[in-house]
Amino acid sequence: MARPEQVLLLEPQHELKFRGKRGGPGLSTVFTFHTGPFSDVVTTNLKLSNPTDRNVCFKVKTTAPRRYCVRPNSGIIDAGTSINVSVMLQPFDYDPNEKSKHKFMVQSMLAPPDMTDMEGVWKEAKPEELMDSKLRCVFEMPTENEKTHDMESNKMMSSSSLKSESSLPVKSMSSTLDDGEVKKIMEECKRLQMEAQRLREENKQIKEDDGLRMRKSNIMSPQHPSVAMKKEEGMSARTVALIVLFFVMGVIVGKLVL
């Protein structure tokens, strides 16, 4: 059974056009940088009108869902009203062989009078109740005049922004500070710079002293065993001398007692 004719009026009726901009560095989407005429988001509008006396449910589908952001992509159009759908093409590296793969379909159906759950209505809809319209995507390349105009516009915008940014701090400072305060700030900055330089020199000297001490310790380290041995020998000689002295004194005392 053939599907009923679409009740919604679409503007445009058959194709969605996306006009590219001049090539060059683009934006980053999920940490991926794109170049070319579609390196930035390109938006086109789709108008859906409901000329009937009943509310109409609609859905907007695409064959390339990752490339487009559609707002709103579904909803209800009241009788006798219309709605604008924004179709945003996300930045990507344009491939001429891929343009025929991008298509859209607007699906619709008459809303039941007692509808409370739109998703449930779509799931329970019969094939003969559904209506659809197909649109193809057209990617328009920028002309040479547009490229030149965009480049000049970007240069003018960048130069004006740089001028405004460079003049803003000076103007704001001059408007909020007098000469005395500016002089104090400059002197404080100079003092902080000298202090930072002094700390860097001290840090450098400390590192040099540490290195010198390390080298001295490495040179003296082989002599440590001999020094220790001499100390031990000296202590042993003194101990023996004391033992002999006590022995002699003991012998003398013993003789005196006897």
Side-chain angles (χ1 to χ4, degrees):
M1 180 181 294
R3 290 190 177 185
E5 186 177 355
Q6 176 68 267
V7 297
L8 295 179
L9 302 179
L10 279 63
E11 297 180 21
Q13 295 183 356
H14 305 294
E15 57 188 25
L16 296 175
K17 294 182 179 181
F18 299 91
R19 181 179 294 275
K21 299 180 180 179
R22 68 177 184 86
L27 298 178
S28 172
T29 56
V30 196
F31 304 105
T32 302
F33 287 89
H34 302 283
T35 59
F38 297 98
S39 59
D40 200 354
V41 177
V42 181
T43 303
T44 189
N45 293 319
L46 173 64
K47 184 178 181 181
L48 304 178
S49 301
N50 178 13
T52 68
D53 56 356
R54 292 183 57 181
N55 295 344
V56 176
C57 303
F58 76 94
K59 279 187 177 182
V60 181
K61 300 180 179 180
T62 177
T63 56
R66 294 185 179 181
R67 292 287 173 83
Y68 299 91
C69 180
V70 183
R71 293 291 182 272
N73 59 0
S74 63
I76 300 175
I77 305 177
D78 295 334
T81 64
S82 61
I83 188 172
N84 287 321
V85 177
S86 296
V87 182
M88 291 163 279
L89 173 63
Q90 302 303 300
F92 77 109
D93 294 327
Y94 176 68
D95 182 3
N97 299 323
E98 192 180 359
K99 62 182 181 180
S100 60
K101 299 178 181 179
H102 293 208
K103 296 178 181 178
F104 275 83
M105 181 177 70
V106 178
Q107 197 172 40
S108 64
M109 63 177 294
L110 296 174
D114 55 348
M115 185 186 69
T116 57
D117 181 14
M118 187 169 63
E119 289 299 324
V121 170
W122 281 109
K123 291 179 181 179
E124 297 174 0
K126 298 178 182 179
E128 59 270 17
E129 296 176 343
L130 300 177
M131 299 165 281
D132 59 62
S133 300
K134 295 180 175 62
L135 300 95
R136 67 188 187 93
C137 297
V138 177
F139 301 97
E140 297 182 344
M141 299 295 105
T143 62
E144 292 299 326
N145 292 334
E146 289 175 340
K147 290 182 181 180
T148 304
H149 178 70
D150 290 341
M151 292 177 66
E152 292 177 353
S153 300
N154 290 336
K155 286 181 180 179
M156 293 176 63
M157 291 177 64
S158 60
S159 61
S160 61
S161 61
L162 287 174
K163 289 180 180 178
S164 61
E165 289 175 358
S166 60
S167 61
L168 181 59
V170 177
K171 290 181 179 179
S172 61
M173 180 177 290
S174 62
S175 61
T176 56
L177 300 176
D178 56 23
D179 294 340
E181 291 176 340
V182 172
K183 186 177 180 180
K184 289 181 182 179
I185 292 173
M186 296 299 293
E187 291 177 353
E188 182 67 16
C189 290
K190 186 176 180 180
R191 187 187 67 79
L192 291 175
Q193 290 177 355
M194 294 176 65
E195 183 68 17
Q197 180 65 25
R198 185 182 66 79
L199 292 175
R200 284 195 294 266
E201 292 177 356
E202 289 182 358
N203 188 32
K204 182 180 179 181
Q205 186 64 36
I206 291 171
K207 289 182 178 179
E208 291 177 355
D209 294 342
D210 290 342
L212 182 61
R213 283 196 294 270
M214 290 293 293
R215 288 194 295 271
K216 286 183 178 180
S217 63
N218 291 334
I219 294 172
M220 295 294 294
S221 59
Q223 300 177 3
H224 288 170
S226 61
V227 173
M229 290 177 65
K230 288 181 180 179
K231 289 182 178 179
E232 290 177 358
E233 289 176 358
M235 291 177 65
S236 300
R238 285 195 296 271
T239 304
V240 172
L242 289 171
I243 293 172
V244 172
L245 179 61
F246 288 142
F247 178 74
V248 172
M249 290 178 66
V251 172
I252 294 172
V253 172
K255 287 182 178 182
L256 291 175
V257 173
L258 293 174

PDB file of all heavy atoms in Angstrom, residues 88-121:
ATOM      1  N   MET A  88      22.797  21.913  11.446  1.00  0.00           N
ATOM      2  CA  MET A  88      24.171  22.395  11.582  1.00  0.00           C
ATOM      3  C   MET A  88      25.156  21.323  11.120  1.00  0.00           C
ATOM      4  O   MET A  88      25.255  20.254  11.725  1.00  0.00           O
ATOM      5  CB  MET A  88      24.448  22.774  13.034  1.00  0.00           C
ATOM      6  CG  MET A  88      23.675  24.012  13.491  1.00  0.00           C
ATOM      7  SD  MET A  88      23.613  24.195  15.287  1.00  0.00           S
ATOM      8  CE  MET A  88      22.287  23.050  15.683  1.00  0.00           C
ATOM      9  N   LEU A  89      25.845  21.627  10.040  1.00  0.00           N
ATOM     10  CA  LEU A  89      26.881  20.732   9.531  1.00  0.00           C
ATOM     11  C   LEU A  89      28.137  20.930  10.369  1.00  0.00           C
ATOM     12  O   LEU A  89      28.663  22.033  10.467  1.00  0.00           O
ATOM     13  CB  LEU A  89      27.164  21.044   8.059  1.00  0.00           C
ATOM     14  CG  LEU A  89      28.342  20.307   7.411  1.00  0.00           C
ATOM     15  CD1 LEU A  89      28.097  18.807   7.387  1.00  0.00           C
ATOM     16  CD2 LEU A  89      28.582  20.832   6.000  1.00  0.00           C
ATOM     17  N   GLN A  90      28.630  19.846  10.979  1.00  0.00           N
ATOM     18  CA  GLN A  90      29.809  19.929  11.826  1.00  0.00           C
ATOM     19  C   GLN A  90      31.082  19.979  10.983  1.00  0.00           C
ATOM     20  O   GLN A  90      31.108  19.514   9.838  1.00  0.00           O
ATOM     21  CB  GLN A  90      29.863  18.727  12.774  1.00  0.00           C
ATOM     22  CG  GLN A  90      28.628  18.604  13.668  1.00  0.00           C
ATOM     23  CD  GLN A  90      28.404  19.853  14.497  1.00  0.00           C
ATOM     24  OE1 GLN A  90      29.259  20.230  15.292  1.00  0.00           O
ATOM     25  NE2 GLN A  90      27.256  20.497  14.324  1.00  0.00           N
ATOM     26  N   PRO A  91      32.173  20.578  11.521  1.00  0.00           N
ATOM     27  CA  PRO A  91      33.422  20.678  10.752  1.00  0.00           C
ATOM     28  C   PRO A  91      33.928  19.307  10.316  1.00  0.00           C
ATOM     29  O   PRO A  91      33.931  18.352  11.091  1.00  0.00           O
ATOM     30  CB  PRO A  91      34.389  21.327  11.754  1.00  0.00           C
ATOM     31  CG  PRO A  91      33.510  22.066  12.703  1.00  0.00           C
ATOM     32  CD  PRO A  91      32.267  21.249  12.830  1.00  0.00           C
ATOM     33  N   PHE A  92      34.348  19.210   9.063  1.00  0.00           N
ATOM     34  CA  PHE A  92      34.906  17.970   8.538  1.00  0.00           C
ATOM     35  C   PHE A  92      35.744  18.286   7.306  1.00  0.00           C
ATOM     36  O   PHE A  92      35.655  19.372   6.729  1.00  0.00           O
ATOM     37  CB  PHE A  92      33.793  16.968   8.209  1.00  0.00           C
ATOM     38  CG  PHE A  92      33.048  17.264   6.928  1.00  0.00           C
ATOM     39  CD1 PHE A  92      33.213  16.464   5.803  1.00  0.00           C
ATOM     40  CD2 PHE A  92      32.160  18.337   6.834  1.00  0.00           C
ATOM     41  CE1 PHE A  92      32.528  16.733   4.634  1.00  0.00           C
ATOM     42  CE2 PHE A  92      31.476  18.611   5.671  1.00  0.00           C
ATOM     43  CZ  PHE A  92      31.659  17.806   4.560  1.00  0.00           C
ATOM     44  N   ASP A  93      36.586  17.348   6.930  1.00  0.00           N
ATOM     45  CA  ASP A  93      37.412  17.488   5.733  1.00  0.00           C
ATOM     46  C   ASP A  93      36.575  17.069   4.527  1.00  0.00           C
ATOM     47  O   ASP A  93      36.210  15.895   4.377  1.00  0.00           O
ATOM     48  CB  ASP A  93      38.673  16.621   5.845  1.00  0.00           C
ATOM     49  CG  ASP A  93      39.590  17.103   6.965  1.00  0.00           C
ATOM     50  OD1 ASP A  93      39.620  18.325   7.198  1.00  0.00           O
ATOM     51  OD2 ASP A  93      40.252  16.263   7.592  1.00  0.00           O
ATOM     52  N   TYR A  94      36.276  18.020   3.672  1.00  0.00           N
ATOM     53  CA  TYR A  94      35.356  17.792   2.563  1.00  0.00           C
ATOM     54  C   TYR A  94      35.926  16.800   1.559  1.00  0.00           C
ATOM     55  O   TYR A  94      37.078  16.910   1.128  1.00  0.00           O
ATOM     56  CB  TYR A  94      35.050  19.123   1.866  1.00  0.00           C
ATOM     57  CG  TYR A  94      34.180  18.978   0.644  1.00  0.00           C
ATOM     58  CD1 TYR A  94      32.854  18.596   0.756  1.00  0.00           C
ATOM     59  CD2 TYR A  94      34.703  19.216  -0.628  1.00  0.00           C
ATOM     60  CE1 TYR A  94      32.057  18.460  -0.353  1.00  0.00           C
ATOM     61  CE2 TYR A  94      33.915  19.086  -1.754  1.00  0.00           C
ATOM     62  CZ  TYR A  94      32.590  18.705  -1.613  1.00  0.00           C
ATOM     63  OH  TYR A  94      31.805  18.569  -2.729  1.00  0.00           O
ATOM     64  N   ASP A  95      35.108  15.826   1.197  1.00  0.00           N
ATOM     65  CA  ASP A  95      35.455  14.832   0.182  1.00  0.00           C
ATOM     66  C   ASP A  95      34.370  14.865  -0.890  1.00  0.00           C
ATOM     67  O   ASP A  95      33.220  14.509  -0.615  1.00  0.00           O
ATOM     68  CB  ASP A  95      35.542  13.440   0.810  1.00  0.00           C
ATOM     69  CG  ASP A  95      35.962  12.373  -0.202  1.00  0.00           C
ATOM     70  OD1 ASP A  95      36.246  12.732  -1.368  1.00  0.00           O
ATOM     71  OD2 ASP A  95      36.032  11.188   0.172  1.00  0.00           O
ATOM     72  N   PRO A  96      34.690  15.282  -2.125  1.00  0.00           N
ATOM     73  CA  PRO A  96      33.662  15.362  -3.181  1.00  0.00           C
ATOM     74  C   PRO A  96      32.963  14.031  -3.448  1.00  0.00           C
ATOM     75  O   PRO A  96      31.806  14.008  -3.866  1.00  0.00           O
ATOM     76  CB  PRO A  96      34.459  15.826  -4.405  1.00  0.00           C
ATOM     77  CG  PRO A  96      35.677  16.492  -3.843  1.00  0.00           C
ATOM     78  CD  PRO A  96      36.010  15.750  -2.595  1.00  0.00           C
ATOM     79  N   ASN A  97      33.644  12.931  -3.199  1.00  0.00           N
ATOM     80  CA  ASN A  97      33.037  11.616  -3.450  1.00  0.00           C
ATOM     81  C   ASN A  97      32.001  11.241  -2.401  1.00  0.00           C
ATOM     82  O   ASN A  97      31.268  10.268  -2.580  1.00  0.00           O
ATOM     83  CB  ASN A  97      34.131  10.545  -3.494  1.00  0.00           C
ATOM     84  CG  ASN A  97      35.130  10.792  -4.600  1.00  0.00           C
ATOM     85  OD1 ASN A  97      34.762  11.243  -5.696  1.00  0.00           O
ATOM     86  ND2 ASN A  97      36.400  10.508  -4.342  1.00  0.00           N
ATOM     87  N   GLU A  98      31.947  11.993  -1.322  1.00  0.00           N
ATOM     88  CA  GLU A  98      31.050  11.649  -0.224  1.00  0.00           C
ATOM     89  C   GLU A  98      29.762  12.459  -0.236  1.00  0.00           C
ATOM     90  O   GLU A  98      28.827  12.157   0.499  1.00  0.00           O
ATOM     91  CB  GLU A  98      31.782  11.860   1.108  1.00  0.00           C
ATOM     92  CG  GLU A  98      31.072  11.272   2.320  1.00  0.00           C
ATOM     93  CD  GLU A  98      31.840  11.515   3.607  1.00  0.00           C
ATOM     94  OE1 GLU A  98      32.921  12.128   3.535  1.00  0.00           O
ATOM     95  OE2 GLU A  98      31.345  11.104   4.672  1.00  0.00           O
ATOM     96  N   LYS A  99      29.684  13.489  -1.080  1.00  0.00           N
ATOM     97  CA  LYS A  99      28.545  14.404  -1.006  1.00  0.00           C
ATOM     98  C   LYS A  99      27.220  13.725  -1.328  1.00  0.00           C
ATOM     99  O   LYS A  99      26.173  14.118  -0.817  1.00  0.00           O
ATOM    100  CB  LYS A  99      28.773  15.578  -1.952  1.00  0.00           C
ATOM    101  CG  LYS A  99      28.893  15.190  -3.418  1.00  0.00           C
ATOM    102  CD  LYS A  99      29.160  16.408  -4.278  1.00  0.00           C
ATOM    103  CE  LYS A  99      29.270  16.042  -5.758  1.00  0.00           C
ATOM    104  NZ  LYS A  99      29.526  17.238  -6.579  1.00  0.00           N
ATOM    105  N   SER A 100      27.238  12.699  -2.173  1.00  0.00           N
ATOM    106  CA  SER A 100      25.983  12.037  -2.534  1.00  0.00           C
ATOM    107  C   SER A 100      25.451  11.143  -1.426  1.00  0.00           C
ATOM    108  O   SER A 100      24.309  10.688  -1.487  1.00  0.00           O
ATOM    109  CB  SER A 100      26.181  11.205  -3.807  1.00  0.00           C
ATOM    110  OG  SER A 100      27.182  10.216  -3.591  1.00  0.00           O
ATOM    111  N   LYS A 101      26.251  10.903  -0.392  1.00  0.00           N
ATOM    112  CA  LYS A 101      25.828  10.027   0.697  1.00  0.00           C
ATOM    113  C   LYS A 101      25.029  10.768   1.762  1.00  0.00           C
ATOM    114  O   LYS A 101      24.397  10.137   2.599  1.00  0.00           O
ATOM    115  CB  LYS A 101      27.055   9.372   1.346  1.00  0.00           C
ATOM    116  CG  LYS A 101      27.876   8.509   0.398  1.00  0.00           C
ATOM    117  CD  LYS A 101      29.083   7.935   1.113  1.00  0.00           C
ATOM    118  CE  LYS A 101      29.937   7.093   0.166  1.00  0.00           C
ATOM    119  NZ  LYS A 101      31.131   6.535   0.853  1.00  0.00           N
ATOM    120  N   HIS A 102      25.057  12.099   1.737  1.00  0.00           N
ATOM    121  CA  HIS A 102      24.374  12.868   2.765  1.00  0.00           C
ATOM    122  C   HIS A 102      22.943  13.191   2.318  1.00  0.00           C
ATOM    123  O   HIS A 102      22.740  13.935   1.356  1.00  0.00           O
ATOM    124  CB  HIS A 102      25.133  14.171   3.044  1.00  0.00           C
ATOM    125  CG  HIS A 102      26.471  13.945   3.670  1.00  0.00           C
ATOM    126  ND1 HIS A 102      27.071  14.873   4.491  1.00  0.00           N
ATOM    127  CD2 HIS A 102      27.330  12.894   3.602  1.00  0.00           C
ATOM    128  CE1 HIS A 102      28.240  14.404   4.890  1.00  0.00           C
ATOM    129  NE2 HIS A 102      28.417  13.209   4.355  1.00  0.00           N
ATOM    130  N   LYS A 103      21.982  12.635   3.037  1.00  0.00           N
ATOM    131  CA  LYS A 103      20.571  12.866   2.706  1.00  0.00           C
ATOM    132  C   LYS A 103      19.771  13.026   3.993  1.00  0.00           C
ATOM    133  O   LYS A 103      20.183  12.551   5.057  1.00  0.00           O
ATOM    134  CB  LYS A 103      20.003  11.711   1.878  1.00  0.00           C
ATOM    135  CG  LYS A 103      20.659  11.543   0.513  1.00  0.00           C
ATOM    136  CD  LYS A 103      20.087  10.361  -0.235  1.00  0.00           C
ATOM    137  CE  LYS A 103      20.765  10.174  -1.582  1.00  0.00           C
ATOM    138  NZ  LYS A 103      20.248   8.995  -2.311  1.00  0.00           N
ATOM    139  N   PHE A 104      18.628  13.717   3.863  1.00  0.00           N
ATOM    140  CA  PHE A 104      17.729  13.915   5.001  1.00  0.00           C
ATOM    141  C   PHE A 104      16.340  13.416   4.646  1.00  0.00           C
ATOM    142  O   PHE A 104      15.951  13.390   3.467  1.00  0.00           O
ATOM    143  CB  PHE A 104      17.661  15.398   5.390  1.00  0.00           C
ATOM    144  CG  PHE A 104      18.758  15.831   6.314  1.00  0.00           C
ATOM    145  CD1 PHE A 104      20.004  16.166   5.816  1.00  0.00           C
ATOM    146  CD2 PHE A 104      18.553  15.895   7.680  1.00  0.00           C
ATOM    147  CE1 PHE A 104      21.026  16.566   6.655  1.00  0.00           C
ATOM    148  CE2 PHE A 104      19.563  16.299   8.533  1.00  0.00           C
ATOM    149  CZ  PHE A 104      20.797  16.634   8.023  1.00  0.00           C
ATOM    150  N   MET A 105      15.602  13.027   5.689  1.00  0.00           N
ATOM    151  CA  MET A 105      14.214  12.620   5.509  1.00  0.00           C
ATOM    152  C   MET A 105      13.383  13.236   6.629  1.00  0.00           C
ATOM    153  O   MET A 105      13.749  13.143   7.809  1.00  0.00           O
ATOM    154  CB  MET A 105      14.058  11.104   5.535  1.00  0.00           C
ATOM    155  CG  MET A 105      12.610  10.654   5.324  1.00  0.00           C
ATOM    156  SD  MET A 105      12.400   8.858   5.257  1.00  0.00           S
ATOM    157  CE  MET A 105      12.717   8.429   6.965  1.00  0.00           C
ATOM    158  N   VAL A 106      12.285  13.878   6.252  1.00  0.00           N
ATOM    159  CA  VAL A 106      11.331  14.419   7.214  1.00  0.00           C
ATOM    160  C   VAL A 106      10.151  13.466   7.268  1.00  0.00           C
ATOM    161  O   VAL A 106       9.422  13.298   6.281  1.00  0.00           O
ATOM    162  CB  VAL A 106      10.872  15.835   6.823  1.00  0.00           C
ATOM    163  CG1 VAL A 106       9.841  16.342   7.830  1.00  0.00           C
ATOM    164  CG2 VAL A 106      12.054  16.781   6.740  1.00  0.00           C
ATOM    165  N   GLN A 107       9.991  12.820   8.407  1.00  0.00           N
ATOM    166  CA  GLN A 107       8.907  11.852   8.602  1.00  0.00           C
ATOM    167  C   GLN A 107       7.830  12.495   9.464  1.00  0.00           C
ATOM    168  O   GLN A 107       8.133  13.190  10.429  1.00  0.00           O
ATOM    169  CB  GLN A 107       9.451  10.590   9.273  1.00  0.00           C
ATOM    170  CG  GLN A 107       8.542   9.390   9.163  1.00  0.00           C
ATOM    171  CD  GLN A 107       9.233   8.134   9.689  1.00  0.00           C
ATOM    172  OE1 GLN A 107       9.941   8.177  10.687  1.00  0.00           O
ATOM    173  NE2 GLN A 107       9.026   7.022   9.023  1.00  0.00           N
ATOM    174  N   SER A 108       6.572  12.238   9.126  1.00  0.00           N
ATOM    175  CA  SER A 108       5.473  12.869   9.861  1.00  0.00           C
ATOM    176  C   SER A 108       4.280  11.931   9.959  1.00  0.00           C
ATOM    177  O   SER A 108       4.183  10.931   9.227  1.00  0.00           O
ATOM    178  CB  SER A 108       5.050  14.178   9.186  1.00  0.00           C
ATOM    179  OG  SER A 108       4.539  13.912   7.886  1.00  0.00           O
ATOM    180  N   MET A 109       3.388  12.271  10.863  1.00  0.00           N
ATOM    181  CA  MET A 109       2.130  11.536  11.025  1.00  0.00           C
ATOM    182  C   MET A 109       1.157  12.426  11.787  1.00  0.00           C
ATOM    183  O   MET A 109       1.559  13.299  12.561  1.00  0.00           O
ATOM    184  CB  MET A 109       2.347  10.216  11.782  1.00  0.00           C
ATOM    185  CG  MET A 109       2.844  10.406  13.206  1.00  0.00           C
ATOM    186  SD  MET A 109       3.018   8.850  14.111  1.00  0.00           S
ATOM    187  CE  MET A 109       1.316   8.349  14.190  1.00  0.00           C
ATOM    188  N   LEU A 110      -0.121  12.237  11.555  1.00  0.00           N
ATOM    189  CA  LEU A 110      -1.147  13.006  12.257  1.00  0.00           C
ATOM    190  C   LEU A 110      -1.206  12.562  13.717  1.00  0.00           C
ATOM    191  O   LEU A 110      -1.258  11.368  14.023  1.00  0.00           O
ATOM    192  CB  LEU A 110      -2.510  12.815  11.601  1.00  0.00           C
ATOM    193  CG  LEU A 110      -2.635  13.326  10.158  1.00  0.00           C
ATOM    194  CD1 LEU A 110      -3.989  12.941   9.573  1.00  0.00           C
ATOM    195  CD2 LEU A 110      -2.440  14.840  10.107  1.00  0.00           C
ATOM    196  N   ALA A 111      -1.156  13.517  14.617  1.00  0.00           N
ATOM    197  CA  ALA A 111      -1.150  13.196  16.041  1.00  0.00           C
ATOM    198  C   ALA A 111      -2.535  12.777  16.504  1.00  0.00           C
ATOM    199  O   ALA A 111      -3.534  13.429  16.166  1.00  0.00           O
ATOM    200  CB  ALA A 111      -0.677  14.415  16.838  1.00  0.00           C
ATOM    201  N   PRO A 112      -2.631  11.706  17.282  1.00  0.00           N
ATOM    202  CA  PRO A 112      -3.933  11.304  17.828  1.00  0.00           C
ATOM    203  C   PRO A 112      -4.468  12.385  18.776  1.00  0.00           C
ATOM    204  O   PRO A 112      -3.699  13.081  19.432  1.00  0.00           O
ATOM    205  CB  PRO A 112      -3.613  10.011  18.590  1.00  0.00           C
ATOM    206  CG  PRO A 112      -2.318   9.516  18.019  1.00  0.00           C
ATOM    207  CD  PRO A 112      -1.560  10.748  17.625  1.00  0.00           C
ATOM    208  N   PRO A 113      -5.778  12.515  18.874  1.00  0.00           N
ATOM    209  CA  PRO A 113      -6.349  13.570  19.742  1.00  0.00           C
ATOM    210  C   PRO A 113      -5.968  13.419  21.205  1.00  0.00           C
ATOM    211  O   PRO A 113      -5.789  14.407  21.912  1.00  0.00           O
ATOM    212  CB  PRO A 113      -7.866  13.400  19.543  1.00  0.00           C
ATOM    213  CG  PRO A 113      -8.006  12.683  18.236  1.00  0.00           C
ATOM    214  CD  PRO A 113      -6.817  11.788  18.126  1.00  0.00           C
ATOM    215  N   ASP A 114      -5.842  12.183  21.673  1.00  0.00           N
ATOM    216  CA  ASP A 114      -5.570  11.943  23.093  1.00  0.00           C
ATOM    217  C   ASP A 114      -4.111  11.537  23.334  1.00  0.00           C
ATOM    218  O   ASP A 114      -3.806  10.755  24.229  1.00  0.00           O
ATOM    219  CB  ASP A 114      -6.507  10.861  23.637  1.00  0.00           C
ATOM    220  CG  ASP A 114      -6.420   9.577  22.811  1.00  0.00           C
ATOM    221  OD1 ASP A 114      -5.811   9.615  21.711  1.00  0.00           O
ATOM    222  OD2 ASP A 114      -6.951   8.545  23.256  1.00  0.00           O
ATOM    223  N   MET A 115      -3.197  12.042  22.532  1.00  0.00           N
ATOM    224  CA  MET A 115      -1.798  11.630  22.624  1.00  0.00           C
ATOM    225  C   MET A 115      -1.163  12.148  23.912  1.00  0.00           C
ATOM    226  O   MET A 115      -1.285  13.323  24.254  1.00  0.00           O
ATOM    227  CB  MET A 115      -1.012  12.151  21.412  1.00  0.00           C
ATOM    228  CG  MET A 115       0.433  11.650  21.382  1.00  0.00           C
ATOM    229  SD  MET A 115       1.404  12.403  20.052  1.00  0.00           S
ATOM    230  CE  MET A 115       1.505  14.072  20.670  1.00  0.00           C
ATOM    231  N   THR A 116      -0.491  11.249  24.628  1.00  0.00           N
ATOM    232  CA  THR A 116       0.258  11.615  25.838  1.00  0.00           C
ATOM    233  C   THR A 116       1.731  11.224  25.737  1.00  0.00           C
ATOM    234  O   THR A 116       2.583  11.851  26.353  1.00  0.00           O
ATOM    235  CB  THR A 116      -0.354  10.931  27.069  1.00  0.00           C
ATOM    236  OG1 THR A 116      -0.378   9.509  26.865  1.00  0.00           O
ATOM    237  CG2 THR A 116      -1.776  11.430  27.314  1.00  0.00           C
ATOM    238  N   ASP A 117       2.021  10.183  24.960  1.00  0.00           N
ATOM    239  CA  ASP A 117       3.393   9.703  24.808  1.00  0.00           C
ATOM    240  C   ASP A 117       3.749   9.691  23.329  1.00  0.00           C
ATOM    241  O   ASP A 117       3.281   8.820  22.581  1.00  0.00           O
ATOM    242  CB  ASP A 117       3.532   8.301  25.420  1.00  0.00           C
ATOM    243  CG  ASP A 117       4.955   7.763  25.308  1.00  0.00           C
ATOM    244  OD1 ASP A 117       5.873   8.556  25.006  1.00  0.00           O
ATOM    245  OD2 ASP A 117       5.141   6.550  25.519  1.00  0.00           O
ATOM    246  N   MET A 118       4.573  10.670  22.897  1.00  0.00           N
ATOM    247  CA  MET A 118       4.880  10.777  21.474  1.00  0.00           C
ATOM    248  C   MET A 118       5.722   9.590  20.992  1.00  0.00           C
ATOM    249  O   MET A 118       5.502   9.063  19.900  1.00  0.00           O
ATOM    250  CB  MET A 118       5.616  12.088  21.192  1.00  0.00           C
ATOM    251  CG  MET A 118       5.830  12.346  19.696  1.00  0.00           C
ATOM    252  SD  MET A 118       6.410  14.009  19.356  1.00  0.00           S
ATOM    253  CE  MET A 118       7.988  13.981  20.201  1.00  0.00           C
ATOM    254  N   GLU A 119       6.674   9.150  21.804  1.00  0.00           N
ATOM    255  CA  GLU A 119       7.500   8.013  21.393  1.00  0.00           C
ATOM    256  C   GLU A 119       6.659   6.754  21.243  1.00  0.00           C
ATOM    257  O   GLU A 119       6.869   5.950  20.334  1.00  0.00           O
ATOM    258  CB  GLU A 119       8.628   7.785  22.425  1.00  0.00           C
ATOM    259  CG  GLU A 119       9.700   8.851  22.418  1.00  0.00           C
ATOM    260  CD  GLU A 119      10.402   8.937  21.073  1.00  0.00           C
ATOM    261  OE1 GLU A 119      10.603   7.888  20.437  1.00  0.00           O
ATOM    262  OE2 GLU A 119      10.739  10.053  20.652  1.00  0.00           O
ATOM    263  N   GLY A 120       5.698   6.582  22.169  1.00  0.00           N
ATOM    264  CA  GLY A 120       4.813   5.421  22.054  1.00  0.00           C
ATOM    265  C   GLY A 120       3.964   5.483  20.798  1.00  0.00           C
ATOM    266  O   GLY A 120       3.708   4.450  20.160  1.00  0.00           O
ATOM    267  N   VAL A 121       3.550   6.682  20.403  1.00  0.00           N
ATOM    268  CA  VAL A 121       2.761   6.836  19.182  1.00  0.00           C
ATOM    269  C   VAL A 121       3.588   6.446  17.965  1.00  0.00           C
ATOM    270  O   VAL A 121       3.097   5.765  17.054  1.00  0.00           O
ATOM    271  CB  VAL A 121       2.251   8.286  19.067  1.00  0.00           C
ATOM    272  CG1 VAL A 121       1.632   8.527  17.697  1.00  0.00           C
ATOM    273  CG2 VAL A 121       1.227   8.576  20.156  1.00  0.00           C
TER     274      VAL A 121
END
